[in-house]
Amino acid sequence: MKKHYVIKLIGKRPTFPNDMTEDERLIMQAHSEYLKGKMKEGLVLIFGPVFDPKGVYGLGIVVVDDEAQVQEIIANDPANALGTYEVALMMAWMPS
């Protein structure tokens, strides 16, 4: 049975993404393309920035066999160099 995980990417500085450098912008574009590819594989349901007044962060929901697969997705994500990922198992109800 597949498991759902929430992945949260917190930038290295609180002003990110408002003051991204050009190199960081390119990494974020690669990050977006990477996760879109994972969507096509059926591993990512949704992802994107959350504009929390306390600080912007990235959020995604992944559907995988186990946490090792989540860690593999994160390890290969170009944006993991720009922040820290938090991972949590989610009990998800999906439409039938």
Side-chain angles (χ1 to χ4, degrees):
M1 176 181 275
K2 296 287 186 179
K3 297 177 183 177
H4 293 77
Y5 286 85
V6 174
I7 57 174
K8 182 177 180 180
L9 178 60
I10 303 166
K12 288 185 176 180
R13 58 185 186 277
T15 55
F16 191 87
N18 295 327
D19 60 358
M20 278 190 279
T21 66
E22 187 57 33
D23 287 344
E24 289 170 335
R25 190 172 314 284
L26 292 172
I27 290 170
M28 290 306 292
Q29 288 171 348
H31 160 72
S32 181
E33 290 305 312
Y34 173 75
L35 291 181
K36 286 177 188 176
K38 294 300 175 190
M39 285 180 121
K40 289 178 184 174
E41 293 176 32
L43 299 174
V44 173
L45 289 180
I46 189 169
F47 74 94
V50 176
F51 299 102
D52 186 324
K54 297 174 194 165
V56 177
Y57 58 88
L59 190 70
I61 308 273
V62 298
V63 183
V64 294
D65 296 318
D66 55 37
E67 189 170 346
Q69 203 172 4
V70 177
Q71 295 303 328
E72 180 181 341
I73 291 169
I74 290 170
N76 292 309
D77 183 350
N80 69 26
L82 299 180
T84 303
Y85 267 106
E86 294 178 359
V87 177
L89 182 61
M90 177 183 185
M91 183 182 290
W93 283 271
M94 301 293 291
S96 33

